[in-house]
Amino acid sequence: MSEYSMKKIAISAALAVAIATPGIAAIVKVDNTKSAVSITFKQMNVPVDAKFKKFSASIDYDAAKPEASKATVDIDVASFDLGDAEYNKEVLKKEWFNAAAFPKASFVSTSMKAGAAGKLDVTGKLSIKGKTVDVSFPLSIKKEGNNQVFDGSLPIKRLTFNIGEGEWKDTGMVADEVQIKFHVVTNP
């Protein structure tokens, strides 16, 4: 499998990760210059990092009643960036993200509750490439001045979302495991 093909797969995985990222506060404004949604996957057993340049999030977080909190995230699949224009173009094709048919990936929380070590346990629906699955992940929240910072990581399997079809289903070139990472900074 060529390096170009592996990067295509990586891009698809990154999209899945980005979609899984929780939303930003409805009460607060997301600082897009300080926020990020990225993915990490392995191609030929070498870690590859990529990011989504465009996403929107809505977080309605209540520290006193975390179970009343809500989050949504929408990711622009076409904003996936592997750092190379040709790879970026390839991962938008049908075999990977199929951005023409599925331009957005999304995450919608269904529950949040206090977890261990001051984190929240977040559960929700992750939708990528027309497939929706239930996901859960820990979310850390911290105060930095007047800002709130939400950090998390969600492991997914790219093949669950049909990212990497045809010859790309082979996980020998591009691993099935993808780690979606998000760092969201909100302003009051």
Side-chain angles (χ1 to χ4, degrees):
M1 192 182 299
S2 72
E3 182 179 309
Y4 178 74
S5 297
M6 291 192 303
K7 289 217 178 197
K8 286 183 188 180
I9 293 172
I11 292 173
S12 297
L15 175 58
V17 174
I19 295 174
T21 305
I24 308 304
I27 299 170
V28 294
K29 180 178 165 119
V30 175
D31 185 338
N32 288 327
T33 64
K34 295 179 182 175
S35 299
V37 174
S38 63
I39 64 162
T40 299
F41 63 94
K42 288 187 178 181
Q43 181 174 337
M44 295 178 57
N45 212 28
V46 175
V48 177
D49 295 315
K51 64 182 174 181
F52 290 92
K53 292 182 172 181
K54 295 180 184 175
F55 67 94
S56 62
S58 173
I59 296 175
D60 185 357
Y61 175 66
D62 183 346
K65 293 176 70 177
E67 66 281 356
S69 300
K70 297 177 186 172
T72 62
V73 176
D74 289 315
I75 296 171
D76 181 350
V77 175
S79 75
F80 189 72
D81 185 14
L82 280 165
D84 181 283
E86 286 300 314
Y87 292 144
N88 293 349
K89 186 176 176 182
E90 186 65 27
V91 296
L92 299 180
K93 291 182 178 176
K94 183 182 183 295
E95 295 81 14
W96 294 104
F97 284 120
N98 196 0
F102 306 102
K104 300 276 182 203
S106 65
F107 171 80
V108 177
S109 67
T110 54
S111 77
M112 291 188 200
K113 55 186 170 184
K119 294 187 177 189
L120 286 180
D121 291 328
V122 179
T123 301
K125 305 268 185 199
L126 177 62
S127 299
I128 303 171
K129 200 174 176 184
K131 175 120 185 196
T132 300
V133 299
D134 293 324
V135 296
S136 296
F137 56 93
L139 175 68
S140 69
I141 302 168
K142 66 182 176 184
K143 230 22 196 154
E144 287 184 357
N146 290 330
N147 300 336
Q148 283 190 319
V149 179
F150 299 84
D151 282 301
S153 181
L154 171 64
I156 65 165
K157 304 272 188 183
R158 69 177 175 85
L159 295 177
T160 299
F161 297 95
N162 297 316
I163 298 173
E165 296 181 39
E167 69 179 299
W168 297 112
K169 283 187 176 182
D170 178 5
T171 58
M173 184 62 95
V174 178
D176 193 18
E177 295 77 20
V178 176
Q179 196 71 23
I180 299 170
K181 302 174 194 172
F182 50 90
H183 175 79
V184 178
V185 178
T186 64
N187 302 319

